[in-house]
Amino acid sequence: MKRITALGLLCAAALATAGPPDLRRAGRIEGDAAAGAAKVAVCVACHGPEGNSVVPAFPALAGQRAAYLYQSLAGFQRRADPASPMTAQVKDLSDADLRNIAAYFASRPRTPAAPATAAGSGEGARLFREGDSARGIPPCQGCHGAVAGGHPLAGTAPRYDYYPALAAQHSDYLIARLGHYRDGRIADTSNAQIMRGVAHNLDDAAIRALAEWLAATPR
Ligand code: HEC
Ligand code: HEC
């Protein structure tokens, strides 16, 4: 009886401290891209050849950071949200499958999501580089890199590989995703919490300007 109680207390303590996955302490993600390639026939139906999607609601995956892709897939498994089309896709995949698939898409070249515009111009470029301190918007480049290819410190410590590249992504997808961070709909990792704080101060016009500039920024 005593043992059961002790065990119960231990479980309660574990749950109380569980919280969202802390990606600051996450490790390196390695996978076998060739093994991953054998698993993606179903994925490319929506995400496009080699992960270069043609439908703007489906995010492009080609050239994305492997660690970011891996934790994103693990998140779809963990949340098992019946409203997400991704839930059924990841349900039967093993952890090794997720690593291999992430390695595969990370290794593919990204093709542009929109015709390249005059880089460096417009409100989206300004917000990305400088933010807007009067509105509490931080510069995006501090975490996503000067040309939105990922964290400037990626490769120096595993945690920075969990910051996604944003350039050449579909604007429709970026708009939806930033809206989800702002609404608090995606908040179940330490990294999602960071973006929740960032998106909190973005209005619809700022989101649109950023998304359109990012889509037209080549990788
Ligand atoms: C029926 C269409 C469909 C299929 C098939 C599909 N996906 Fe997705 N995927 C989506 C949609 C829509 C989203 C964005 C919606 C969301 O976040 O819930 C998404 C999001 C993702 C993301 C998140 C990208 C990011 O930038 O955060 C990853 C990674 C992903 N899918 C990988 C896969 C893999 C791997 C497979 C195959 C095992 C797959 N998808 C199959 C539609 C699909
Ligand atoms: C303090 C660091 C930080 C800053 C500043 C920041 N981000 Fe992020 N961003 C992140 C992290 C970490 C993630 C990964 C979140 C996750 O795993 O869900 C992310 C994810 C994203 C995603 C999701 C990408 C995908 O493929 O689904 C978008 C879009 C995004 N950020 C846009 C922006 C924009 C636009 C700005 C500037 C207004 C910005 N971020 C500023 C850290 C930051």
Side-chain angles (χ1 to χ4, degrees), residues 68-169:
Y68 173 77
L69 290 173
Y70 167 77
Q71 68 77 35
S72 170
L73 293 168
F76 288 123
Q77 275 187 339
R78 188 175 62 241
R79 289 189 298 275
D81 174 4
S84 173
M86 280 303 298
T87 301
Q89 304 300 325
V90 292
K91 172 167 74 56
D92 297 324
L93 296 174
S94 69
D95 194 64
D97 290 337
L98 301 189
R99 288 167 193 265
N100 295 343
I101 290 171
Y104 168 73
F105 283 121
S107 74
R108 301 294 86 205
R110 171 78 60 98
T111 59
T117 50
S121 63
E123 175 69 355
R126 191 186 68 79
L127 286 173
F128 188 85
R129 298 213 177 93
E130 298 165 23
D132 186 339
S133 51
R135 292 192 281 164
I137 302 172
C140 318
Q141 67 161 334
C143 291
H144 292 286
V147 288
H151 198 288
L153 295 177
T156 65
R159 65 177 179 278
Y160 299 120
D161 298 335
Y162 290 80
Y163 287 62
L166 306 174
Q169 181 59 276

Side-chain angles (χ1 to χ4, degrees), residues 8-9 22 39 103 120 124 153-154 167 169 183 192 197 218:
L9 280 175
D22 190 344
K39 294 268 178 182
L153 295 177
Q169 181 59 276
D183 301 345

